[in-house]
Amino acid sequence: MQRLDRAGIEVLLETQQFKSWFNELSGLYHRLEILEVAIERAGEARSEAVFRYDYWREIAEEALLRSADLRNMCQNLRSEVASLENQAFEQLAGFEVARQSATGLWERITAIEHRCDDHAAEASRVRAKARFRDELKRLRTEYSAANEQKEALWHAEEALWLKVAERTLMVPELEVRANRLESRYGVLMQRVEELESRAASLNEELSDERDDLSEVQRQIARLRAAARTSFSCLCHEDFLYWPSGDDSRVVLVVALSNNSKDYNIEVRCGQIYQCDTEKGVRYLEPLSVGSGETERDERLIRFFEEVA
Amino acid sequence: MSGSFDRVEALQASPLFNDLLPLEKQYLADLAVQRNLSAGDVLFEEGDIGDAMFVVVSGELGVEVGSDPQKAEVAILFAPDFVGEMALIDKQPRAARVRAKTDAVLLAISHDNIYSFSRVHRNGFTWLVVNIAKNLAHRLRSMNVTALGQS
């Protein structure tokens, strides 16, 4: 590294070689900034697309699971209906037996009553009725029991048919719901595929931009290395450094970009500053054009005259 | 006035920088750091160790002494007043709390800045110290007059 004073650096900054080096570096810094912003944006958009397709895939899968549950429920209901129908047929057979038994008893009662009523004479009719009284009483009791059983079987049969009807009617509604869920699954999966493809394309974009970024960084590193040999200085990211020709503890620096936030003073691109070798650019000082001092400082003379 | 303003003009308005040469004022203006305060923000607390002084560029600040919650406001600062200049002479704890009464803009000049200034502009530095001393002498005299009046 060559020791330079302010004048030396100012001469160097005006050379064509430095100007073209600086223009190339500024262009690369500008490109770097654009790429970094683009990478941030593409990364954010990709993460968002990934998050969204994961989210919608979960929702779609949930819809499909619910549809499968409904289809299972339909299948179970159909099995239940078949079983209930079997029970109903068995029950119907039992009812038929009970109905026939009740009818048989009713016919026998009616036959006895007719036989009694067929007697023309009142006295013989009364005698006949007295003769069949016990049998009629027994038959009527049996008939009443058989009739009750028949009625009970019919009610049970009706209850079974109601159950069958309930289940049979429920199945189509569940199937429609399952169809709706499957169609929603299809729509959602289409959205998932679109988002996946967007994420993939953003991934490609991101990868291209990262390649570009690496290339720009390589070129910047090459330019920085070139500065060391061409301008005999240290070149870091934001400043070029030369040890001051006047004072070994002082380093003269040239800002490579504007920065009004991160340093103790507002740094302007291309401006020369000075700093201490230990503190570095943590504490920058403006490079004064001169102290403007004269041997006789009128202010101090006036002051001492006033207080004398 | 949180936007741009002429730093040299802002310093020039303050009696602390009276008679400093344009080069000297420019140097200090380049080193000074802009501080933007919102109404209610505390610039520094009583007892804080100070290492900078502040020139008010715009807005209004209150100087408060005593303990919370009964701090008494003893002074109000406007542009081009300055505060905290004693910290440039000795790094002692701040004697009062200073809080923005309105949104305010200040220029901070630190101990390091004054050290830089003294190396480049020796006479300017001397003159700045004279101005600080004049200001302190004036305040001391006012306090003496007040104390004598009370006794």
Side-chain angles (χ1 to χ4, degrees):
Chain A
M1 263 200 310
Q2 191 185 349
R3 286 189 177 279
L4 281 180
D5 57 10
R6 179 196 183 112
I9 293 176
E10 279 173 347
V11 167
L12 177 69
L13 297 188
E14 286 305 313
T15 60
Q16 196 51 45
Q17 188 190 12
F18 182 83
K19 281 180 181 167
S20 77
W21 175 88
F22 181 73
N23 285 341
E24 195 180 347
L25 187 74
S26 298
L28 286 171
Y29 275 173
H30 183 60
R31 175 97 186 104
L32 190 76
E33 206 173 304
I34 290 171
L35 279 170
E36 279 170 351
V37 170
I39 285 171
E40 263 179 28
R41 283 193 186 147
E44 187 186 10
R46 187 200 54 177
S47 302
E48 192 187 323
V50 168
F51 172 80
R52 285 179 64 198
Y53 81 62
D54 275 345
Y55 173 78
W56 286 116
R57 187 196 294 276
E58 269 181 36
I59 301 285
E61 284 170 357
E62 202 176 307
L64 193 64
L65 284 174
R66 277 168 57 206
S67 143
D69 282 348
L70 290 175
R71 299 265 180 225
N72 274 343
M73 206 184 284
C74 289
Q75 205 53 45
N76 291 340
L77 283 171
R78 280 198 199 94
S79 305
E80 206 180 333
V81 164
S83 156
L84 285 170
E85 278 175 343
N86 279 342
Q87 278 181 46
F89 284 126
E90 280 171 21
Q91 193 92 7
L92 193 61
F95 168 77
E96 275 305 316
V97 170
R99 192 179 62 79
Q100 276 175 11
S101 159
T103 307
L105 288 164
W106 178 251
E107 282 169 355
R108 282 170 67 190
I109 290 166
T110 312
I112 291 169
E113 283 173 347
H114 280 210
R115 198 186 298 170
C116 293
D117 289 341
D118 282 349
H119 289 279
E122 176 67 22
S124 69
R125 212 165 39 236
V126 169
R127 274 198 302 276
K129 277 184 180 175
R131 188 163 11 109
F132 288 110
R133 185 180 296 126
D134 289 345
E135 192 179 350
L136 269 175
K137 193 179 174 185
R138 182 183 56 80
L139 284 171
R140 279 189 181 126
T141 309
E142 281 177 21
Y143 171 75
S144 170
N147 209 32
E148 271 177 28
Q149 190 193 358
K150 183 193 81 177
E151 288 295 318
L153 284 168
W154 183 248
H155 285 313
E157 180 68 12
E158 275 186 334
L160 278 173
W161 284 119
L162 187 65
K163 277 187 183 176
V164 167
E166 266 178 14
R167 282 149 183 72
T168 309
L169 290 173
M170 195 188 279
V171 168
E173 201 173 312
L174 294 178
E175 279 177 339
V176 167
R177 274 166 62 192
N179 289 343
R180 203 164 54 212
L181 285 167
E182 279 158 18
S183 124
R184 181 164 161 72
Y185 170 77
V187 170
L188 291 178
M189 282 311 284
Q190 196 178 339
R191 190 182 295 179
V192 167
E193 278 163 20
E194 282 167 12
L195 286 166
E196 267 179 333
S197 117
R198 178 165 161 66
S201 103
L202 284 166
N203 237 353
E204 271 178 35
E205 198 180 304
L206 206 55
S207 161
D208 291 347
E209 279 163 351
R210 282 191 176 132
D211 289 347
D212 286 354
L213 186 79
S214 304
E215 179 51 33
V216 169
Q217 282 168 337
R218 263 195 298 278
Q219 288 180 29
I220 288 174
R222 175 183 57 77
L223 277 181
R224 282 199 194 133
R228 282 170 186 256
T229 50
S230 307
F231 312 125
S232 186
C233 64
L234 263 183
C235 178
H236 291 310
E237 199 164 315
D238 292 333
F239 294 94
L240 297 174
Y241 297 78
W242 285 272
S244 167
D246 306 327
D247 187 342
S248 63
R249 287 169 308 171
V250 171
V251 177
L252 299 180
V253 300
V254 171
L256 296 173
S257 55
N258 289 323
N259 191 325
S260 58
K261 285 186 201 159
D262 302 326
Y263 296 98
N264 63 305
I265 56 176
E266 191 176 332
V267 169
R268 292 192 197 99
C269 181
Q271 192 91 19
I272 309 171
Y273 299 92
Q274 69 174 39
C275 62
D276 186 273
T277 46
E278 279 181 23
K279 287 183 184 165
V281 294
R282 259 204 311 274
Y283 185 75
L284 287 167
E285 292 172 338
L287 203 57
S288 185
V289 180
S291 68
E293 284 174 8
T294 54
E295 283 294 312
R296 286 167 54 82
D297 192 306
E298 290 301 324
R299 293 169 297 181
L300 298 174
I301 292 167
R302 205 168 54 239
F303 171 73
F304 286 115
E305 279 171 1
E306 277 171 16
V307 295
Chain B
M1 201 185 181
S2 58
S4 64
F5 59 91
D6 189 324
R7 287 167 167 236
V8 176
E9 264 180 34
L11 293 186
Q12 205 153 269
S14 166
L16 210 56
F17 305 98
N18 273 353
D19 291 331
L20 256 61
L21 302 174
L23 262 179
E24 294 163 349
K25 277 184 260 196
Q26 182 64 57
Y27 190 87
L28 280 172
D30 284 344
L31 278 173
V33 174
Q34 185 178 333
R35 285 280 302 270
N36 298 322
L37 298 179
S38 300
D41 285 355
V42 172
L43 179 62
F44 52 74
E45 285 284 358
E46 187 176 337
D48 285 354
I49 299 295
D51 71 341
M53 62 156 289
F54 303 90
V55 177
V56 183
V57 178
S58 68
E60 201 174 304
L61 294 101
V63 181
E64 300 166 356
V65 293
S67 51
D68 281 325
Q70 290 171 322
K71 277 202 179 284
E73 190 174 82
V74 292
I76 298 176
L77 305 172
F78 306 90
D81 290 342
F82 52 89
V83 63
E85 74 285 4
M86 285 190 290
L88 299 182
I89 308 295
D90 59 355
K91 278 195 176 181
Q92 290 297 306
R94 301 284 193 191
R97 172 162 82 183
V98 174
R99 186 173 22 188
K101 290 168 77 76
T102 63
D103 290 354
V105 179
L106 302 102
L107 283 176
I109 297 175
S110 70
H111 209 265
D112 285 343
N113 296 157
I114 295 297
Y115 176 61
S116 302
F117 184 59
S118 74
R119 284 192 290 117
V120 179
H121 299 283
R122 287 187 179 280
N123 290 347
F125 169 72
T126 309
W127 196 245
L128 178 66
V129 174
V130 167
N131 282 340
I132 292 175
K134 277 182 177 175
N135 178 262
L136 291 175
H138 172 74
R139 272 162 43 189
L140 190 58
R141 285 209 177 85
S142 303
M143 283 165 67
N144 285 345
V145 169
T146 312
L148 286 171
Q150 280 172 352
S151 66

